[in-house]
Amino acid sequence: MSVIMHTLHVDLGERSYPVYIGRDLLADGEVLARHLGGSEVAIVSNETVAPLYVAKVRGALGEGRRVTEIVLPDGEQYKTLHSLEHILERLLQERHSRSTTIIAVGGGVVGDVAGFAAACYQRGVGFIQVPTTLLAQVDSSVGGKTAVNHPLGKNMIGAFYQPRAVLIDIDSLHTLPARELSAGLAEVIKYGLICDPAFYAWLQEAMPRLLAREESALAEAIERSCSLKAAVVAADEREGGLRAILNLGHTFGHAIETAQGYGAWLHGEAVAVGMLLALRLSVARGWVDAAEIPVLEALLRQAQLPLEIPAGMTPEVFLDLMGRDKKVVDGCLRLVLLRGIGEACVVADATTAELDTLLQDAVARAKSRC
Ligand code: NAD
Ligand code: GLY
């Protein structure tokens, strides 16, 4: 039987929507029905998640609806314009009207591409996020960022497009591979670092229970993460300022993902290493006590996340890829740093020399740990 454990609200005026967190929500037809625009539905998933969960969602939709299932290949390398085109083509072939609701069932890749398709199809149709990875449950399903990658840069083509609802079913995490759970924990740790020192402290104690997928610990981590994200998004939906803090570690992380080839490093793994680099830079600036470095290292290690940059990545590669980041404005690289644990800030004054020193040091550390 489905149980709603928490209902949060993303407060965006007429684009406001609920985030339900609970158990067996995939089978909850009543909750889904509240957010459908009409009788036409397209479920977008991938070939790994579809056999696990799409039948459940389809069953929850009940009789009397026209449902199209669109199954993408699995992987970050398929977060492309080609996949977007495939979704749009299927919607056209099946003659879906503007009252269609697209339901994304899967991780952040499926959610990001399906959301972009919802934003584009007939200039915008209804969209519901049913995230099935921890990363998607605590981050990508909330906030309305949709996108596809381009060989020249990650998430470079997309739209802000809010879902009508987010249904987070904690039970779906039981089938998630351990490496993917860890990748999601990187984004959970991010919230503590940027804006909630008490949550950061709680994570240090709760990490074994989270890795063991204890329901109450997962529910608490997801609720806390989504609440923090909802507050930031409500204050700055289109990233005019504050929302950039959600990208702690992401500028370094996106460079790692792009350099390694999409899919080789998981997004959360790259973000973990990126957060450590951002903390090291904050320490070098004298903003954070150096004692915080081993604390974060221990937490990332506990969460089974990498600490070092990939072998072979040079400062030159980092600087080139970081220079193409979306956070470059008027030729000026913006980085999220910490003024303290729980206190993120965005800086636009990082010099090439400063970054080169940080990255040379990272290369040396990676070599010494090989
Ligand atoms: P993902 O979507 O690739 O999913 C990870 C893997 O887990 C895939 O192989 C998937 O098939 C599998 N999977 C998903 N749910 C499963 C389940 N319940 N059981 C078994 N296997 C399951 O990766 P992700 O980490 O969820 O998302 C990463 C993507 O999200 C990146 O493209 C990143 O850029 C994006 N992202 C977007 C935002 C945003 O605000 N829109 C925020 C953070 C990340
Ligand atoms: N994950 C960053 C954001 O949603 O803004």
Side-chain angles (χ1 to χ4, degrees):
M1 204 186 77
S2 70
V3 179
I4 296 176
M5 298 159 91
H6 304 279
T7 305
L8 309 172
H9 288 279
V10 184
D11 201 354
L12 289 169
E14 62 182 14
R15 290 182 310 291
S16 297
Y17 54 95
V19 178
Y20 304 102
I21 303 167
R23 300 205 49 199
D24 206 22
L25 287 188
L26 290 177
D28 194 325
E30 195 270 315
V31 172
L32 256 184
R34 275 182 224 165
H35 303 286
L36 296 174
S39 64
E40 294 175 57
V41 174
I43 301 175
V44 180
S45 189
N46 75 18
E47 57 200 7
T48 303
V49 179
L52 294 169
Y53 298 115
V54 164
K56 219 173 195 188
V57 176
R58 208 173 168 147
L61 288 169
E63 301 296 315
R65 296 191 196 277
R66 192 157 71 81
V67 183
T68 302
E69 286 180 24
I70 304 172
V71 179
L72 302 175
D74 186 1
E76 182 76 34
Q77 62 274 37
Y78 297 104
K79 190 173 148 180
T80 56
L81 282 170
H82 181 74
S83 294
L84 172 73
E85 195 180 355
H86 174 68
I87 298 171
L88 299 175
E89 202 166 276
R90 284 292 310 283
L91 294 171
L92 287 165
Q93 280 166 348
E94 302 296 331
R95 297 173 183 269
H96 272 280
S97 74
R98 270 190 105 174
S99 65
T100 298
T101 303
I102 295 182
I103 305 179
V105 182
V109 169
V110 164
D112 278 14
V113 189
F116 192 21
C120 297
Y121 190 65
Q122 300 202 24
R123 302 195 181 91
V125 295
F127 178 45
I128 295 176
Q129 287 268 23
V130 181
T132 60
T133 63
L134 180 62
L135 186 137
Q137 294 184 350
V138 299
D139 193 354
S140 62
S141 63
V142 177
K145 278 190 181 176
T146 73
V148 294
N149 299 327
H150 187 278
L152 292 179
K154 204 175 141 54
N155 293 332
M156 278 303 198
I157 303 164
F160 284 98
Y161 195 69
Q162 300 295 342
R164 286 190 184 155
V166 182
L167 270 70
I168 299 177
D169 185 340
I170 291 173
D171 288 342
S172 66
L173 296 179
H174 289 302
T175 53
L176 192 65
R179 186 177 166 203
E180 298 292 349
L181 186 79
S182 292
L185 288 169
E187 299 281 7
V188 174
I189 292 168
K190 174 191 79 179
Y191 292 109
L193 279 171
I194 60 174
C195 56
D196 193 339
F199 184 47
Y200 188 63
W202 177 81
L203 285 171
Q204 288 160 41
E205 167 260 306
M207 193 52 75
R209 290 187 286 129
L210 291 167
L211 287 169
R213 306 179 197 217
E214 215 177 85
E215 184 191 302
S216 62
L218 285 171
E220 179 150 359
I222 294 167
E223 189 276 331
R224 199 70 214 119
S225 300
C226 288
S227 297
L228 292 166
K229 178 146 189 187
V232 171
V233 169
D236 178 21
E237 182 184 7
R238 296 176 74 91
E239 204 167 308
L242 177 72
R243 184 165 177 168
I245 67 169
L246 296 173
N247 294 317
L248 177 73
H250 284 54
T251 303
F252 296 110
H254 284 168
I256 292 173
E257 284 182 88
T258 306
Q260 298 305 297
Y262 297 128
W265 271 54
L266 301 184
H267 177 72
E269 293 171 340
V271 166
V273 172
M275 290 193 299
L276 203 45
L277 287 171
L279 175 62
R280 286 185 188 282
L281 193 53
S282 308
V283 169
R285 286 187 167 208
W287 291 349
V288 181
D289 193 323
E292 293 298 344
I293 294 175
V295 174
L296 179 57
E297 283 184 334
L299 188 56
L300 296 177
R301 202 176 287 117
Q302 227 190 335
Q304 293 161 18
L305 285 160
L307 305 185
E308 305 300 346
I309 63 169
M313 257 194 97
T314 61
E316 294 71 33
V317 171
F318 264 106
L319 291 173
D320 176 43
L321 291 169
M322 286 164 64
R324 300 182 201 180
D325 193 86
K326 286 192 296 307
K327 284 174 288 307
V328 174
V329 180
D330 295 334
C332 195
L333 178 68
R334 282 161 201 272
L335 275 180
V336 185
L337 297 182
L338 297 171
R339 291 246 176 219
I341 298 300
E343 203 188 328
C345 62
V346 181
V347 302
D349 62 351
T351 62
T352 306
E354 188 183 24
L355 290 170
D356 195 54
T357 305
L358 175 82
L359 294 166
Q360 294 286 4
D361 178 54
V363 170
R365 235 188 356 266
K367 273 193 185 140
S368 75
R369 291 205 186 167
C370 268

